[in-house]
Amino acid sequence: MDQAERQAIAACQTGELTQFTLLYERYIEKIYRFVYFKTLHQETAEDLTSFTFMKALEHIADYDVARGNFSSWLYRIAQNTVIDHYRTTKQEVDIEQVFNLASGQNVAAETEVSLALQEVQTYLKSLEPDTRELIIMRLWQGLSYQEIAELTGKSEGALKMAASRALKQLRSSVSAATLLLIFGSLN
Amino acid sequence: MSETIRTILQELYELEPELKSREAELAPLVLKLIQAKPDIKPSAAFVATLKLKLNAKEQELMSINPENNNLSVWLKLASFMRQPFMLTGVAVIAFVLILVSSMPGVLRRFKAPTGTFTPSVSRLPAGSFGSLLATTSGVNPTAGLGVGSAEKIAAPVAPLAAQADSSAVSFNETPTISAAPAGLGGGDRAMIYPYPSYTYTYSGEKISDLPAQVNVFKRVKNSGQLVSAGFLRNFDTGNIKLDSFAGANLSQITFMEDKEFGYAVTIDFVEGNVNIFSNWRRWPQPFNDCRDEACYKSLQLTPENVPTDTELISLANSWLNDHGISTANYGQPFVQNEWRVYYNQAADKSQAYVPDVITIIYPFLVNGQPVYESGGSQAGMGVNINVRYNRVSDVWNLISQQYQSSSYEAETDFDTLLKYVTAGNPGYPVPLMYPETDNGMQKTELQLGTPQVGYMHYWTYLNNENQELFLPALVFPVLNPPTEAYAYLPKQVVVPLVKEYLQSSYPIDGPIRIMPASPAGGPAVPMIEPGATGSGSSSAGSAGVAEPTVIVEPEPAIEPAQ
């Protein structure tokens, strides 16, 4: 948390809520992505993201810096919002949609590398849901292990161990030819 | 290997050091996992709409907690100034500036309360700023202090009907060049034929769910520092009883550094701003001795003399930092480089103009959002750098940032808002640059992208006072800005959301015109001699004394008796 963020939070907590805009601009994309990966539906993600920020704005006076990063606090609100949403709607999420989307929107230009990426995604799908979510939060959403720990209630050590196991699993699963392609594309 | 990948791997090595031997395989795997991330982003329309809703919610919450309202820090400053030791200090200054050596100490004591330049907002009831149709002066009073609103300086805004009429007439005139006021760059009449014709088309996302009420902000100024009669008695001119001017307000203080490359600093208590200009008497005037064109040409700068934008911004940042001027409450600074457009398009480079002074804008942020002039340029604090000497020459629009806010009814229909931009009809309240006609003009279609939320800098005149307002607005990026030499290259089109403004049958100020540029090769920016905008105090000074001199200017002005 840098100085500008600390100042904005402090200002908000003294009633200068206009400073919340800075926090919004910093986190809107991250929170939206976080929610989207849990809902896989644009309109739902927008609704829940809106609700998350409104709730954060209303309760920012309750945020205690001693109890964790602001980002963790915000992610926790988002997570609870998503949980509440599913409790209410009892919907199921099809994780396949994420990967279909990925293969359509974010592949490398070269066909060979594109194929390699699809293979990686295929193996990513094969991971246990908890592990896959961990990889998504760490690698795709850029959350720190501390933030993930605060969100999931697991220890940082356990999370790192799970990530390590997942990478080893992926390394052994992805074909040598794919790794060669991937490795070659780095040069 | 990127820092991100290195960090991720390092975290794993801490737990399982043996993994390090597999780094050659792991690193590309992690990289590709990251690259496989779906490109999920919220739509710009959603981001803008949610921001508006949050802004409204912020104001609502702040109105519920009125203890959050802040008094004008300028009023606190005024209170501070009333303290006896300050009056004594200022009186000493005024006493014919004899005790010049005491000035630095006085300046150190002249300390505004913390927060003067830190944004704060106090909430007022709805409609507190009166009708937004209150006749405007059409001129941004602060813009005259530097380069900021060329459009407004050069061409005070006429009612729409007049604008439309004159535009229509202009299209049918024979080619000519309308003269712009000397040195003021482009006004609407300062355009070379043929006029271009622009139309806008919108290619962004549709925005829905716009709020019915938006908060208009007003910058809180001050009525000046009340000066006691006892204070005025200290000004003994010998032939006038200054203390007979009861209740006079101290409106400005100007002090000057009397040294080479010194500055003149003016603190304006009424407008709530500080402006710093080069003390021109102590700056070199390289063209003073020129008697022929060859001399001028020999001194003309070339583009190679102009530092890069990064260097200019670094120089400005360093100077501001040295003088304790925080830029924390401003947006990312940028260099105004319009001169390069004209230079690059000039066939004869020897005739092209390279300015001695380059301006850097530190954008204003109101409620955390950028502020735009009605013509689309970004408003902010300006820092001029004299590139001949690589020195900061002026700082202007360093303003107090105490605001009041009040809600006004907003236009909620996005399609209606778009019509103000895309209809191309001079009958609309918002002038659309030059409407399309069939007289064979060059026609250009400009594409507008999804808007962001911002504010439009706007002035009304109410109760004998200029009100400096900030209207919530949708700011549409121009995706293909015109590159013609005579276009002023707006990057944005600003459409205020306030209904009263939009629906006015007597429009005030056109928010979305493309401003024509100066015809004569110079950039369309006002080149006002900084000394000319000051208080006339630049003649004061104490040659040879490298200490600041101070002039105290009470208001009303006191003229020597004849």
Side-chain angles (χ1 to χ4, degrees):
Chain A
M1 188 158 51
D2 64 19
Q3 190 182 359
E5 187 170 314
R6 276 197 298 273
Q7 284 178 344
I9 293 166
C12 287
Q13 292 188 323
T14 57
E16 192 57 62
L17 293 174
T18 56
Q19 297 297 302
F20 190 79
T21 303
L22 182 144
L23 303 171
Y24 170 74
E25 288 179 343
R26 286 199 170 192
Y27 287 104
I28 176 60
E29 288 197 7
K30 291 178 180 174
I31 294 296
Y32 178 83
R33 263 197 296 271
F34 178 83
V35 173
Y36 185 88
F37 284 135
K38 290 176 180 294
T39 61
L40 306 174
H41 186 262
Q42 181 185 339
E43 286 180 13
T44 305
E46 289 180 353
D47 285 348
L48 299 184
T49 302
S50 299
F51 193 76
T52 298
F53 278 101
M54 285 292 176
K55 206 150 62 171
L57 174 62
E58 288 173 6
H59 295 282
I60 194 165
D62 301 333
Y63 164 65
D64 182 358
V65 70
R67 294 173 61 185
N69 286 331
F70 177 76
S71 60
S72 301
W73 183 75
L74 198 55
Y75 277 116
R76 204 155 48 239
I77 294 176
Q79 176 156 285
N80 290 338
T81 302
V82 173
I83 291 170
D84 288 347
H85 166 73
Y86 283 120
R87 277 184 187 145
T88 309
T89 60
K90 301 185 189 312
Q91 286 180 354
E92 295 295 326
V93 179
D94 180 8
I95 193 71
E96 298 295 319
Q97 290 180 33
V98 174
F99 299 102
N100 292 339
L101 196 72
S103 61
Q105 291 193 359
N106 192 24
V107 293
E110 300 84 2
T111 307
E112 288 182 332
V113 176
S114 170
L115 289 171
L117 284 177
Q118 286 177 20
E119 190 176 346
V120 170
Q121 290 170 1
T122 300
Y123 285 106
L124 199 54
K125 277 191 284 188
S126 70
L127 295 173
E128 288 296 314
D130 282 359
T131 309
R132 187 170 57 219
E133 189 169 7
L134 165 64
I135 294 295
I136 288 174
M137 284 196 283
R138 181 70 191 100
L139 298 188
W140 287 2
Q141 299 181 356
L143 271 66
S144 68
Y145 282 111
Q146 183 191 341
E147 289 171 322
I148 299 170
E150 290 178 13
L151 277 173
T152 60
K154 296 176 182 173
S155 72
E156 284 188 53
L159 291 169
K160 286 179 184 173
M161 187 63 80
S164 171
R165 275 199 301 269
L167 285 177
K168 275 194 273 190
Q169 182 185 338
L170 285 172
R171 187 176 55 81
S172 60
S173 302
V174 177
S175 69
T178 298
L179 281 176
L180 193 64
L181 274 173
I182 292 171
F183 190 74
S185 70
L186 294 175
N187 299 323
Chain B
M1 191 189 307
S2 76
E3 193 59 37
T4 305
I5 296 173
R6 197 183 308 279
T7 302
I8 288 169
L9 292 177
Q10 195 58 42
E11 290 166 348
L12 299 176
Y13 299 157
E14 286 170 11
L15 205 65
E16 293 189 68
E18 69 274 13
L19 281 177
K20 196 165 177 52
S21 63
R22 302 279 187 174
E23 184 168 292
E25 297 170 52
L26 286 174
L29 182 61
V30 171
L31 173 67
K32 286 306 169 188
L33 284 172
I34 291 173
Q35 287 183 339
K37 178 175 74 172
D39 189 18
I40 302 295
K41 274 187 178 178
S43 73
F46 166 68
V47 172
T49 306
L50 179 54
K51 192 184 286 183
L52 281 171
K53 288 180 185 172
L54 285 167
N55 289 162
K57 186 73 177 177
E58 289 161 8
Q59 297 302 317
E60 179 191 326
L61 291 171
M62 288 169 70
S63 68
I64 295 169
N65 301 298
E67 68 272 16
N68 297 331
N69 293 353
N70 294 306
L71 288 174
S72 160
V73 181
W74 283 90
L75 292 175
K76 295 176 191 171
L77 176 61
S79 171
F80 182 82
M81 284 291 293
R82 277 195 284 274
Q83 294 178 45
F85 74 91
M86 281 305 304
L87 292 178
T88 305
V90 175
V92 167
I93 300 161
F95 254 155
V96 206
L97 312 174
I98 292 172
L99 302 177
V100 179
S101 59
S102 69
M103 287 315 304
V106 172
L107 292 176
R108 278 193 294 274
R109 283 193 291 172
F110 188 87
K111 186 172 186 297
T114 302
T116 300
F117 295 98
T118 303
S120 72
V121 181
S122 54
R123 167 84 177 175
L124 300 180
S128 290
F129 309 140
S131 168
L132 298 182
L133 305 183
T135 307
T136 61
S137 65
V139 175
N140 176 347
T142 60
L145 296 169
V147 183
S149 294
E151 168 187 10
K152 292 188 171 183
I153 292 173
V157 176
L160 173 69
Q163 292 178 8
D165 288 350
S166 59
S167 296
V169 169
S170 299
F171 292 137
N172 298 319
E173 290 173 352
T174 52
T176 182
I177 297 175
S178 302
L184 288 182
D188 284 0
R189 305 293 104 216
M191 200 166 169
I192 305 176
Y193 275 51
Y195 285 108
S197 168
Y198 296 108
T199 56
Y200 288 119
T201 56
Y202 183 64
S203 57
E205 302 168 40
K206 183 175 173 65
I207 292 186
S208 57
D209 212 11
L210 287 165
Q213 297 282 322
V214 291
N215 288 298
V216 172
F217 287 75
K218 173 188 171 184
R219 191 164 73 86
V220 179
K221 302 175 186 176
N222 195 8
S223 58
Q225 167 61 45
L226 193 64
V227 180
S228 71
F231 169 66
L232 287 174
R233 269 195 294 274
N234 291 319
F235 292 85
D236 184 3
T237 65
N239 61 354
I240 184 169
K241 286 174 63 180
L242 294 180
D243 58 342
S244 65
F245 295 92
N249 289 336
L250 179 65
S251 63
Q252 286 188 345
I253 292 177
T254 297
F255 59 89
M256 301 168 68
E257 282 186 313
D258 192 9
K259 66 176 188 181
E260 191 178 21
F261 294 109
Y263 296 96
V265 180
T266 296
I267 303 170
D268 189 325
F269 295 102
V270 176
E271 288 298 325
N273 63 39
V274 177
N275 292 289
I276 303 168
F277 298 124
S278 53
N279 179 1
W280 61 273
R281 289 174 179 270
R282 303 306 308 272
W283 279 58
Q285 305 294 330
F287 295 100
N288 272 4
D289 297 328
C290 278
R291 296 292 177 267
D292 56 31
E293 191 178 349
C295 173
Y296 281 100
K297 281 198 170 179
S298 70
L299 292 171
Q300 178 65 54
L301 297 180
T302 66
E304 291 71 36
N305 296 122
V306 181
T308 65
D309 287 2
T310 304
E311 291 168 334
L312 289 168
I313 290 172
S314 174
L315 181 60
N317 284 341
S318 174
W319 190 94
L320 293 171
N321 187 54
D322 288 347
H323 291 276
I325 299 171
S326 170
T327 58
N329 299 313
Y330 294 84
Q332 285 298 315
F334 63 89
V335 179
Q336 288 189 326
N337 271 325
E338 281 76 10
W339 68 271
R340 290 187 188 275
V341 176
Y342 300 96
Y343 186 88
N344 292 336
Q345 291 180 347
D348 179 3
K349 301 298 185 199
S350 69
Q351 298 296 321
Y353 172 68
V354 177
D356 278 27
V357 172
I358 304 287
T359 296
I360 299 165
I361 298 294
Y362 289 74
F364 291 145
L365 297 177
V366 169
N367 200 23
Q369 304 303 313
V371 178
Y372 296 85
E373 302 294 352
S374 57
S377 60
Q378 212 161 353
M381 174 178 72
V383 176
N384 289 348
I385 291 184
N386 187 317
V387 294
R388 189 177 292 278
Y389 307 109
N390 274 345
R391 288 172 178 270
V392 169
S393 58
D394 315 282
V395 177
W396 39 274
N397 273 354
L398 174 54
I399 59 173
S400 64
Q401 298 193 36
Q402 314 302 305
Y403 300 97
Q404 294 170 330
S405 76
S406 180
S407 66
Y408 281 78
E409 188 180 1
E411 177 59 66
T412 57
D413 182 12
F414 187 63
D415 290 334
T416 301
L417 289 165
L418 275 183
K419 281 182 188 171
Y420 288 106
V421 190
T422 58
N425 183 342
Y428 277 81
V430 179
L432 297 170
M433 303 177 299
Y434 294 94
E436 186 171 6
T437 68
D438 293 323
N439 64 358
M441 295 183 307
Q442 177 186 344
K443 294 175 183 175
T444 304
E445 183 179 290
L446 301 179
Q447 294 285 329
L448 298 180
T450 304
Q452 303 279 318
V453 177
Y455 287 87
M456 189 182 90
H457 208 184
Y458 176 65
W459 300 82
T460 60
Y461 191 71
L462 187 68
N463 300 329
N464 297 328
E465 183 191 352
N466 272 315
Q467 294 197 115
E468 185 176 0
L469 303 177
F470 301 87
L471 308 186
L474 295 181
V475 183
F476 296 80
V478 179
L479 302 178
N480 57 335
T483 55
E484 301 90 339
Y486 42 76
Y488 188 57
L489 307 174
K491 304 286 193 304
Q492 296 84 210
V493 167
V494 184
V495 179
L497 291 166
V498 180
K499 214 167 193 172
E500 185 185 19
Y501 179 97
L502 290 167
Q503 293 182 340
S504 75
S505 56
Y506 182 76
I508 310 130
D509 196 354
I512 49 173
R513 285 175 300 168
I514 284 187
M515 180 184 164
S518 164
V525 291
M527 300 299 292
I528 294 177
E529 179 64 45
T533 64
S535 55
S537 56
S538 56
S539 60
S542 181
V545 181
E547 298 285 357
T549 53
V550 174
I551 293 167
V552 179
E553 296 187 355
E555 193 177 84
I558 300 169
E559 297 292 338
Q562 296 298 311

